[in-house]
Amino acid sequence: MIEFAVDTTPEGIGVVTPKGRLNMSSARGLKEILDGLVSDGTSKIVVDLAETTFLDSSGLGALIAGLKAARQSGGDLRVARPTEAVLTVFKLTNLDRVLRPRDSVEGAFDA
Amino acid sequence: MIEFAVDTTPEGIGVVTPKGRLNMSSARGLKEILDGLVSDGTSKIVVDLAETTFLDSSGLGALIAGLKAARQSGGDLRVARPTEAVLTVFKLTNLDRVLRPRDSVEGAFDA
Amino acid sequence: MPETTVPGPDAGDENRVELSAPATPEMMHLVHAVLEQLWSQHEDVSMVDRMRFEMAVIEILGNIVEHAYAMESGGTERRFDVRLTATDAALVASFGDDGMPNTIDLSDVAMPDEEAESGRGLALAMAAVDDLTYDRSAGRNHWRLTCLRQPG
Amino acid sequence: MPETTVPGPDAGDENRVELSAPATPEMMHLVHAVLEQLWSQHEDVSMVDRMRFEMAVIEILGNIVEHAYAMESGGTERRFDVRLTATDAALVASFGDDGMPNTIDLSDVAMPDEEAESGRGLALAMAAVDDLTYDRSAGRNHWRLTCLRQPG
Ligand SMILES: Nc1ncnc2c1ncn2[C@@H]1O[C@H](COP(=O)(O)OP(=O)(O)O)[C@@H](O)[C@H]1O
Ligand SMILES: Nc1ncnc2c1ncn2[C@@H]1O[C@H](COP(=O)(O)OP(=O)(O)O)[C@@H](O)[C@H]1O
């Protein structure tokens, strides 16, 4: 139903790729992964949404929680390559400003 | 829901790999592929069942129809690498003799 | 002595899933998905029990799609419903449809010979489950499949 | 002059799919699968309409699972049912559950601020569909979502 790929770049940026649907039954998994990264000292995180086919308000909640945790530790959380379905949810919830989507995972922390 | 990979070996043996469930809504596709191979002159056919997660009586019917067509053209149809679910169906229908499963695609026409 | 009640095969069916949908070949996939869901709620059901139940459920649904609604005349709705239940004791599926009555006597069902390209559906379903019943009432067909669970 | 009847949003619903199942987070996947099935029968429904309908359906089901059955006391059955219909005019979902009554006035629903980690479900559902209604009757909650189809 969902899988998460978790990587760390040579620059120490955590890259989390949810593959499948981010909904009520999978959002908790994402939240735990993001919390785990931050508490292990990885506070710069990119969530690669290229393979996230669906996002609901629980998934959004997990992203916002991760964003806040990352910022509290002096880092940030950025989202990259959202699918059309995910982008629609960002826009409808007015979160496309705070979760400003980046075009690539590599360049997500460039600006 | 289902995909079919169709290949021809250097020896001219057709290899059909159904990926997914062979049921009422997909059996017709298999039948058409098998018929097409035979009428194009490929009468030795291996159906690789390693990725066939489910088989019902319509799927069985398509295999038997293909077997008869292949034999009528002087060839044969052999099945290889059935999953446990598929093997169970062969046994319950007493077709494990006429559709005797082979251990490998390569060796399916060896004996 | 405390009173004991022996649970019937339907006991504990608050996890049942009921579906009502058009009787089309595409619905096969949905019923497979419902069964996947059922297994995810009942991880203790053995692979063998899952396989034989799924096999029989799909065969019966295939017959409804193919035979009960074979002609345009068959039924006003061209729909089916199914209730799927997994308890500690058994897996049970109950189908209903308003198509044409089944004409086959289940006690006559036998596996056809090797050459046959069809006619294995009911025989396969009966071989797979512990009990298969059919009845016609109030203008509807009712099929009921029971797999008694075997220790995994 | 011939009499004309304007079809309501439910006309032509013989392709409807109805599901009744336990109200658990795992059931989300099943409802996604039902929707996939619905689209395979209605390939003319535009991507935008599919997306907004699916979004709202999942949010309302999420609320039933999370809020209507929040406490052990909520409902005797912990089940929901849903009827999904696609016609030329509209996509309609009707939910029923016997959980606790909804306490939120839908006209008060607003999108929370950026920092909020929850509370966007109903606002998102309302933003996605053309009509969302709630009523409580006979001890049950009823939610009804309507997306008027836009030319694909
Ligand atoms: N639901 C049904 N309604 C009416 N007739 C049925 C039904 N199911 C089965 N039958 C009859 O039983 C026969 C045997 O069915 P089956 O064993 O599934 O083989 P097949 O479907 O391959 O013909 C069918 O040919 C049909 O006449
Ligand atoms: N089905 C329901 N039954 C009871 N209360 C509900 C139901 N759905 C929503 N509510 C109430 O509406 C509020 C807002 O829900 P929602 O917008 O989905 O946000 P969230 O679920 O993230 O809290 C919930 O906190 C709850 O009090």
Side-chain angles (χ1 to χ4, degrees), chain C residues 36-91:
Chain C
E36 264 176 34
Q37 207 50 53
L38 201 69
W39 308 145
S40 78
Q41 307 259 300
H42 295 273
E43 293 186 343
D44 55 322
V45 178
S46 73
M47 270 315 292
V48 171
D49 288 342
R50 292 176 192 207
M51 267 169 26
R52 60 201 192 98
F53 188 63
E54 184 150 10
M55 213 182 284
V57 161
I58 292 295
E59 291 297 343
I60 295 302
L61 178 56
N63 276 349
I64 294 172
V65 171
E66 202 180 358
H67 300 301
Y69 293 113
M71 303 171 200
E72 284 311 312
S73 59
T76 52
E77 278 203 290
R78 291 192 85 81
R79 294 177 58 83
F80 74 98
D81 54 67
V82 63
R83 169 197 289 228
L84 298 159
T85 312
T87 67
D88 288 345
L91 309 173

Side-chain angles (χ1 to χ4, degrees), chain B residues 1 21 23-25 31 54-58 60-61 64-65 68 84-85 88-89 92-95 97-98, chain C residues 25-26 28-29 32-33 36 48 51 54-55 58-59 62 65-66 111 114-117 120-121 124 127-128:
Chain B
M1 319 265 183
R21 300 185 185 113
N23 60 19
M24 183 179 246
S25 69
K31 196 171 176 323
F54 183 85
L55 177 70
D56 76 354
S57 62
S58 327
L60 273 178
I64 297 292
K68 293 200 294 193
E84 205 189 320
T88 306
V89 175
L92 283 174
T93 53
N94 306 318
L95 289 175
R97 213 183 53 84
V98 53
Chain C
E26 292 73 36
M28 301 285 167
H29 294 295
H32 281 293
E36 264 176 34
V48 171
M51 267 169 26
E54 184 150 10
M55 213 182 284
I58 292 295
E59 291 297 343
V65 171
E66 202 180 358
M111 203 60 81
E114 292 174 350
E115 302 277 287
E117 290 176 30
R120 290 188 183 85
L124 187 51

Side-chain angles (χ1 to χ4, degrees), chain D:
Chain D
M1 226 165 66
E3 267 189 273
T4 52
T5 350
V6 180
D10 272 358
D13 70 346
E14 52 298 328
N15 286 325
R16 72 189 181 279
V17 176
E18 296 168 13
L19 179 74
S20 158
T24 60
E26 292 74 34
M27 285 302 149
M28 300 286 168
H29 293 295
L30 189 50
V31 173
H32 281 294
V34 172
L35 288 171
E36 265 176 33
Q37 206 50 54
L38 201 70
W39 307 145
S40 78
Q41 308 259 301
H42 294 274
E43 293 186 342
D44 55 322
V45 178
S46 73
M47 271 315 293
V48 171
D49 287 343
R50 291 177 192 206
M51 267 169 25
R52 61 201 192 99
F53 188 63
E54 185 150 8
M55 212 183 282
V57 161
I58 292 296
E59 291 298 341
I60 296 301
L61 178 56
N63 275 350
I64 294 172
V65 171
E66 202 180 359
H67 300 301
Y69 294 113
M71 301 172 200
E72 283 311 313
S73 59
T76 52
E77 278 203 291
R78 292 192 84 83
R79 293 178 59 81
F80 74 97
D81 54 65
V82 63
R83 168 197 290 226
L84 298 159
T85 311
T87 68
D88 289 345
L91 310 172
V92 180
S94 305
F95 284 92
D97 70 81
D98 78 337
M100 290 181 294
N102 168 41
T103 48
I104 296 287
D105 183 337
L106 294 189
S107 58
D108 289 343
V109 169
M111 201 62 78
D113 74 23
E114 292 175 350
E115 302 277 286
E117 289 176 31
S118 66
R120 290 186 183 87
L122 279 175
L124 187 51
M126 289 181 75
V129 300
D130 294 291
D131 192 44
L132 171 64
T133 63
Y134 167 80
D135 69 271
R136 174 96 181 171
S137 60
R140 289 179 68 79
N141 299 315
H142 302 279
W143 297 89
R144 187 182 165 96
L145 307 170
T146 309
C147 283
L148 300 178
R149 285 180 58 185
Q150 286 154 7

Side-chain angles (χ1 to χ4, degrees), chain B residues 50-86:
Chain B
E51 293 172 67
T52 304
T53 52
F54 183 85
L55 177 70
D56 76 354
S57 62
S58 327
L60 273 178
L63 288 174
I64 297 292
L67 176 79
K68 293 200 294 193
R71 287 188 180 169
Q72 248 148 40
S73 298
D76 202 1
L77 179 146
R78 306 213 164 154
V79 295
R81 311 196 298 164
T83 54
E84 205 189 320
V86 168

